[in-house]
Amino acid sequence: MTILPDPNASVASLLTPDAAKAASLAASTATAPGILTIDLDAIVSNWRKLEKTAVPAEAAAVVKGDAYGCGTGPVTRALAGAGCKTFFVATLGEAAAVRAVAPDVTIYVLDGFFQTTGDEFARLNCRPVIGDLYELAEWDVYCRRTGWSGGAAIHIDTGMNRLGLTTAEAQSIVPRISVGDHGITLVISHLVAAESPNHPINAKQVTAFREIASLFTGVPASLSASSGIFLGSQFQFDLVRPGAALYGVNPTPDADNPMQPVVDLKARIVQVRNVERGDTVGYGATWSARRPTKIAVLSAGYADGYFRAAGSNDGTRGADVIIAGQRCPVAGRISMDLLAVDVTDLPPNAARRGHMATLIGDGITVDELGHHFGTIGYEVLTSLGPRYARVYTGGDAKPAAPLASAPAEPVAPAN
C-alpha cells in the first residue's frame, strides 16, 4: 500500500530533521541581507596551534561575548570535541550556554561571585573567578552553608587595576593553602600590554605574578591570554587562556598573523546606480564623484556592526569591500542599514543587484576592518549584528547549503 503525504501538511513537516535544517538554512541565506560564515575547523586549528605553542601548559578557551560573536554553542561544541577541557566565560548566563553543550568541561566565570548566585554556580557546576576579599568571604559562607565544593579561582591584580586582589591581599590568604580543603583550584592574573612585547610592564607583571603564585603551593597558575602566549615560556605557567586569537585576531600585531581567519562576511548588493561627476553620495554630502561613477549599494550598515567610522570623504579613503574579486572603496558615510561602494573600475556587469560583496574575507581581515573602524578586531567580531544569516562550516556542523543569492537583474548593455 502506498501512503500519500497529507496534502495539507507543510513542506517542512515532510522533511527529515537534517533536510528541514538545510531547507531553513537555504531560506535564511536567500532572504538575509548578509551572510556570516564561521569556520569551526579554523577555530579548532587555531586552538591546537596555541596549545602547541604553550606546551606543557594547558590551553583553555575563552568563549565570552557569545564566543567573540561566533556563537557560544557551536564553538564550544567544536573545541570540546577537539579536546579542550577548560572554558572561560564572563557571566553565569554564558556558563549555562557552555554547559548545555559540554557537560564535562571545567567552566570559570570571570565576573566573580555574589552571595545570591551561589545556587546557580552549584547547579551549573562552574567556578567563580574571585577578585575581592568580600567575594571570597561570601563564597566561603556559601560553601560552609551548603557543603558545595566546586572550587574557585583567585584573581590577583599585578598591574591592570581593574579586578583582582592586591598582592598584599593575596598574601594574606596564603595560610589557608596549608589547610587541605582550601577550595582554590587556580590563581590568575591578566597582562596589561601583552600585544607590545617590549613594554616594560610585561616584565614587571610576570615577576610579580611568579612571586605571589609560588606561594599558592600546588595550585595551578595562569597569566597569559592570546598575546601573552607569544611572549615566551616564562609567561605561560600552567594554563593559558586564549580568546581573540582563536577567532583569527592577530595576537602579534607587529608581525604576521599566525592564526587562520575564521569569519567570512558578505552583504547583498541591493542597487547599482550611476552618479555624475560632482554629485555627492550619502549623508552630509561629504564624498563627491570625481568622474562619472558607478555605485553599488550594499545591505549592511552600522546597525549590523559595520561602523560609521569606516566611511570616506573627499579627503580620506575609508574601508574596502571585495566585489567580483577586486577591492572597491566605500563611498561616503555608512548608514544604519546601507553602505555605498565605488565599483566604477569593475568590468561591465560585474556588480549586479542580488550579488554578494565581501566585507570580511578574501584578504580583508578583522584587524584591517578594526583599523578602519578606529578600534580592534575584538570589537569588530563582537559587534556583528543579528540580521546576518549565520552559516557554520567544519567542526560537527552539517555541510552548509550554498550561499544563496537573489536573482540578479538582467544584464544590461554596458554604458
Side-chain angles (χ1 to χ4, degrees), residues 19-402:
K21 183 177 179 181
S24 175
L25 176 62
S28 67
T29 57
T31 58
I35 299 172
L36 175 62
T37 303
I38 296 135
D39 186 344
L40 297 174
D41 282 347
I43 293 175
V44 169
S45 178
N46 288 339
W47 176 75
R48 286 179 171 148
K49 182 176 182 65
L50 294 160
E51 180 187 42
K52 183 177 180 180
T53 302
V55 166
E58 177 189 351
V62 180
V63 293
K64 63 182 181 177
D66 195 29
Y68 287 62
C70 292
T72 303
V75 169
T76 298
R77 189 181 294 110
L79 287 172
C84 184
K85 296 179 175 59
T86 304
F87 291 80
F88 285 80
V89 297
T91 68
L92 276 167
E94 293 175 344
V98 171
R99 183 60 74 211
V101 297
D104 300 321
V105 301
T106 298
I107 304 171
Y108 285 98
V109 181
L110 291 161
D111 282 2
F113 183 89
F114 290 89
Q115 58 184 346
T116 55
T117 60
D119 289 343
E120 186 69 357
F121 272 100
R123 185 184 75 82
L124 294 172
N125 188 27
C126 57
R127 301 172 180 179
V129 178
I130 292 173
D132 180 275
L133 289 178
Y134 292 104
E135 282 182 74
L136 182 60
E138 290 175 346
W139 177 68
D140 281 339
V141 168
Y142 179 80
C143 291
R144 286 196 299 269
R145 179 171 60 83
T146 65
W148 182 52
S149 57
I154 297 296
H155 186 173
I156 302 168
D157 178 32
T158 56
M160 180 71 79
N161 286 309
R162 188 178 61 177
L163 293 176
L165 279 66
T166 66
T167 53
E169 289 171 335
Q171 287 172 338
S172 73
I173 66 171
V174 167
R176 71 184 287 161
I177 299 301
S178 62
V179 179
D181 191 20
H182 55 75
I184 299 173
T185 55
L186 185 69
V187 290
I188 76 168
S189 191
H190 196 57
L191 292 166
V192 173
E195 72 283 356
S196 302
N198 297 320
H199 200 296
I201 199 169
N202 292 327
K204 179 180 178 181
Q205 284 191 272
V206 73
T207 298
F209 185 65
R210 182 182 297 111
E211 290 176 355
I212 190 66
S214 67
L215 302 178
F216 286 76
T217 306
V219 178
S222 176
L223 175 62
S224 291
S226 293
S227 295
I229 294 170
F230 294 89
L231 294 178
S233 59
Q234 69 272 31
F235 286 83
Q236 293 167 0
F237 292 86
D238 301 297
L239 180 141
V240 295
R241 314 184 306 271
L246 294 173
Y247 311 103
V249 174
N250 188 356
T252 56
D254 294 333
D256 291 341
N257 191 350
M259 316 316 299
Q260 292 186 24
V262 166
V263 301
D264 178 277
L265 178 62
K266 290 179 167 57
R268 201 177 301 279
I269 299 174
V270 296
Q271 190 176 103
V272 179
R273 62 189 301 126
N274 295 315
V275 300
E276 298 300 323
R277 184 177 183 273
D279 284 353
T280 63
V281 174
Y283 283 116
T286 59
W287 185 95
S288 54
R290 299 182 181 182
R291 57 181 176 172
T293 300
K294 183 175 286 187
I295 294 291
V297 182
L298 312 184
S299 58
Y302 56 77
D304 305 293
Y306 200 90
F307 288 18
R308 192 169 182 267
S312 64
N313 56 48
D314 284 339
T316 305
R317 184 182 175 106
D320 291 338
V321 307
I322 294 175
I323 299 175
Q326 296 186 37
R327 282 185 174 242
C328 302
V330 169
R333 288 182 176 169
I334 308 298
S335 303
M336 181 180 288
D337 316 300
L338 302 167
L339 63 94
V341 180
D342 183 346
V343 295
T344 311
D345 294 330
L346 294 184
N349 298 309
R352 298 169 58 196
R353 179 173 177 267
H355 286 180
M356 288 291 185
T358 299
L359 309 184
I360 302 174
D362 295 336
I364 297 177
T365 67
V366 292
D367 296 296
E368 176 185 334
L369 210 52
H371 170 74
H372 288 293
F373 288 0
T375 184
I376 55 177
Y378 299 59
E379 191 173 6
V380 174
L381 289 172
T382 57
S383 297
L384 296 175
R387 296 193 292 198
Y388 301 122
R390 287 176 174 244
V391 176
Y392 289 91
T393 64
D396 65 350
K398 300 295 183 184

